[in-house]
Amino acid sequence: MSSAHGITLEDLRQVLESASGVADGVDWKDPGTADTPFGDMGYDSLAQLQMTIQLEDKYAVSIPEDAAAELRTPAALIDYVNAQLTAG
């Protein structure tokens, strides 16, 4: 469930796993996971694209391709989405 202030790491985990499945060896309870690049977590560019589409649909935000390419970690993506949610 998203917080009143935007999405959380848990929200992102649910979207990512729904879009692309569970990545082996990713500990979502570890605070360092938020700063781990998606590629290092085992998610390729297709998985990231699917996740982006689901986030856009679920939270009614826009994540342009060029922006999505720069959002390489969960923390960066969460910050981007939450900035849109608070601006909207």
Side-chain angles (χ1 to χ4, degrees):
M1 182 68 51
S2 62
S3 74
H5 304 289
I7 69 169
T8 65
L9 185 60
E10 176 61 16
D11 296 325
L12 183 62
R13 179 197 65 78
Q14 290 175 5
V15 170
L16 186 55
E17 290 181 355
S18 170
S20 304
V22 177
D24 292 332
V26 177
D27 180 3
W28 288 95
K29 295 184 189 304
D30 178 352
T33 298
D35 295 315
T36 302
F38 290 111
D40 291 355
M41 296 165 68
Y43 293 106
D44 62 13
S45 59
L46 179 58
Q48 293 174 52
L49 175 63
Q50 291 170 328
M51 173 187 55
T52 300
I53 291 167
Q54 283 197 17
L55 286 169
E56 288 177 325
D57 290 345
K58 184 171 184 173
Y59 296 102
V61 296
S62 176
I63 307 171
E65 274 186 56
D66 58 334
E70 297 301 316
L71 301 171
R72 296 185 179 106
T73 66
L77 185 55
I78 289 168
D79 289 347
Y80 186 89
V81 170
N82 286 341
Q84 286 202 2
L85 291 173
T86 57

